[in-house]
Amino acid sequence: MTSTTPAPSDVPVADRLRAQHGAALTLGEDCDLPDDLVIELDTGAHLTTGDRVCIRRGSSIQVHRGATVIIGNDVAIGEHTFISAMAGISLGDGAALSNGVDLRDHSHRVRSAASVPTGQLVPWTSGFEAAPIIIEPGATLLNKVTVTAGVRIGANVLVGANAVVSHSIAPDTGAASVPAAVRRHFDGASVAGDDRRTLTVGFFGTSIMEHLEAFNAQMATQANLPEVGSKVTVEGWHQRGWVHRLALSLRAAHAHVGFDIRNHGEGGATSRDIASLVEADRATSGVDYDLVFLGCGINDVWRRFQNRLTEAVLIEEYTQRINTMLEQLTGYSRQAVVISETPFGPIENPATVAAMNTELASYNEAARKAAAAHGALFLDVWTPFTAVARQLPADDTTGGVWSDGVHLTELGDTVLLQHTERLLAEHRIVEKLLDYPLLERDRALTVYGPLFARYRPAAS
């Protein structure tokens, strides 16, 4: 790694730095740089700044092997600030770092038997893990703020002095404390658009997730609704229900985030069918999910009571199927949630429905155990669902929670929606998913390289 701590001279600092680092350094115009600025660039590293960047005395910038640091236009960096990258760090236009700010996109890996098989007592033997730090345009970090790896700080954010930012912060907010937490929201100034963080969310389940609804454009256009009693043509099917409403809720609560919603629910599917859906999705799309929901079992039971025995899935096979699916899904999903099945309603005579629900409850228990075994969360919607169904008056005119004893009404969908939202809030799932995952440093360079590729000189 090369280093520079130049003594004052008549040669402009920018010219000296360009001469020392060559193509590894791209400096913008009209930058105000101190004589004692320390820049260290390892092999394959690159540092680029925009125009009118101001850096004060005592500051250091380290860019390790293969990593990238980007400093946008009109960025101000205070005294004794330290920036060190093993994956990549980006400061958006107009961002400000006050005195003593510390940005490091990496940390030591734990000294496990796997990472230090020889047991050698050297601090860096275990290696490093890294993830980008992204500071969006207009964000301001006050004195002695520390930012850890994998964090994204939104546009216009103001972080109070001495805070430790260990999780991502939404735009147009003020944050403080250790760890930093949002204390207030404000109407932020308009800033140029930046790359949006997008979370991919998958759903694998039955018609309760799929929830098809007939569609005609005229019926959804308030200014051109069809006349009462007239006929319209079904133009297609849209997915609605609690999954659609959850997607809207996520987008409303996190408008600065993109959500790629992939609903693989399928009407009539048993766990056997859903296992095939999981296999086919991975084989054809290869998508890695940030968050995935899995729910199945109701059709496994229902088919036996319908005397469709070749389609029925007994508890032993169900247990094997859901464990296999979770083993697969947790391998390429950052967070998995198993959602219990809702009980059967008045689909048969009461004694038969009671027997069906007794059996279905055992499938839900198997799902709960499978979730625990694979580090997934388990969402029990059976209890709140039955509570709502039981407490509705007998002459209720809203349609209750079931439309036909299996599929759900809007009220039933709302019960699922509320408890799913509660689970996400209690575990701060979306907030945690907005952090970039820490990866072994070489893998981090490969995975996160595309975030910084356009700022690096083209390979000759």
Side-chain angles (χ1 to χ4, degrees):
M1 177 172 286
T2 62
S3 176
T4 175
T5 309
S9 73
D10 293 333
V11 179
V13 176
D15 291 345
R16 294 204 305 270
L17 292 174
R18 289 187 183 104
Q20 171 140 6
H21 297 292
L25 175 65
T26 303
L27 291 177
E29 299 300 321
D30 300 322
C31 293
D32 182 4
L33 307 176
D35 289 325
D36 66 347
L37 175 63
V38 175
I39 292 179
E40 300 177 351
L41 301 178
D42 211 338
T43 303
H46 191 79
L47 166 64
T48 183
T49 79
D51 299 332
R52 299 173 299 281
V53 170
C54 177
I55 302 177
R56 294 307 184 195
R57 64 182 181 179
S59 294
S60 298
I61 303 174
Q62 292 180 341
V63 193
H64 294 267
R65 167 177 52 84
T68 309
V69 169
I70 304 154
I71 300 174
N73 297 320
D74 302 297
V75 169
I77 297 176
E79 296 179 0
H80 304 291
T81 290
F82 187 77
I83 298 172
S84 182
M86 282 190 180
I89 295 175
S90 174
L91 306 181
D93 292 349
L97 311 181
S98 296
N99 299 334
V101 169
D102 191 303
L103 308 181
R104 302 177 197 236
D105 74 348
H106 55 278
S107 62
H108 287 271
R109 297 167 71 194
V110 296
R111 285 179 50 84
S112 65
S115 62
V116 192
T118 63
Q120 187 179 11
L121 289 174
V122 177
W124 48 85
T125 307
S126 60
F128 294 87
E129 54 189 7
I133 292 174
I134 307 294
I135 298 177
E136 295 185 7
T140 301
L141 281 57
L142 299 186
N143 291 342
K144 298 181 179 178
V145 168
T146 296
V147 182
T148 62
V151 165
R152 185 173 186 128
I153 297 176
N156 299 320
V157 165
L158 178 65
V159 181
N162 301 302
V164 176
V165 185
S166 54
H167 289 293
S168 297
I169 301 175
D172 304 331
T173 58
S177 195
V178 179
V182 172
R183 304 299 191 203
R184 64 190 177 101
H185 296 76
F186 55 83
D187 183 12
S190 177
V191 297
D194 203 352
D195 295 333
R196 284 167 63 85
R197 187 85 165 90
T198 296
L199 299 181
T200 303
V201 185
F203 296 85
F204 293 89
T206 66
S207 56
I208 293 173
M209 284 187 182
E210 181 187 43
H211 198 118
L212 292 179
E213 180 181 278
F215 171 77
N216 178 284
Q218 188 180 359
M219 295 184 68
T221 305
Q222 290 293 311
N224 188 33
L225 293 174
E227 295 291 334
V228 174
S230 63
K231 294 182 179 180
V232 295
T233 301
V234 173
E235 298 174 345
W237 304 97
H238 280 180
Q239 291 181 322
R240 288 296 185 262
W242 73 271
V243 171
H244 172 68
R245 294 170 66 183
L246 177 63
L248 295 178
S249 176
L250 290 172
R251 288 170 173 139
H254 308 278
H256 62 292
V257 181
F259 289 93
D260 180 8
I261 304 297
R262 299 178 179 233
N263 188 345
H264 301 286
E266 184 172 287
T270 65
S271 61
R272 194 180 296 151
D273 302 317
I274 296 169
S276 297
L277 291 174
V278 171
E279 290 276 6
D281 174 63
R282 188 60 179 171
T284 57
S285 72
V287 168
D288 288 344
Y289 289 96
D290 292 290
L291 175 62
V292 66
F293 290 86
L294 173 64
C296 56
I298 193 166
N299 289 316
D300 298 43
V301 173
W302 195 12
R303 295 296 174 264
R304 191 173 73 79
F305 282 86
Q306 291 175 314
N307 205 33
R308 295 161 61 177
L309 301 182
T310 59
E311 299 172 52
V313 179
L314 300 181
I315 187 67
E316 294 80 10
E317 182 185 350
Y318 171 82
T319 301
Q320 181 269 322
R321 294 280 184 186
I322 197 165
N323 274 283
T324 298
M325 284 188 281
L326 282 172
E327 183 176 356
Q328 295 168 330
L329 290 169
T330 55
Y332 50 85
S333 303
R334 294 173 61 194
Q335 178 65 66
V337 177
V338 178
I339 185 166
S340 76
E341 295 287 52
T342 53
F344 290 101
I347 194 172
E348 296 281 354
N349 65 70
T352 301
V353 171
M356 294 166 70
N357 280 332
T358 297
E359 188 167 321
L360 183 56
S362 68
Y363 284 64
N364 279 342
E365 178 60 18
R368 184 190 66 78
K369 291 179 179 178
H374 293 278
L377 294 173
F378 182 71
L379 175 58
D380 175 18
V381 295
W382 181 291
T383 301
F385 199 87
T386 54
V388 172
R390 183 177 62 252
Q391 293 167 19
L392 290 174
D395 60 349
D396 180 73
T397 59
T398 65
V401 293
W402 294 281
S403 61
D404 57 6
V406 176
H407 303 96
L408 308 182
T409 62
E410 288 189 345
L411 179 60
D413 281 330
T414 302
V415 175
L416 265 66
L417 173 67
Q418 287 181 339
H419 287 274
T420 305
E421 290 177 323
R422 184 175 300 171
L423 178 84
L424 296 178
E426 286 177 353
H427 292 272
R428 298 188 69 249
I429 290 174
V430 174
E431 290 78 4
K432 292 176 181 177
L433 290 175
L434 290 175
D435 298 341
Y436 295 96
L438 279 163
L439 305 173
E440 187 277 327
R441 69 177 292 185
D442 287 330
R443 183 160 180 254
L445 286 171
T446 299
V447 171
Y448 298 122
L451 289 175
F452 306 98
R454 70 179 183 271
Y455 298 100
R456 297 175 62 91
S460 56

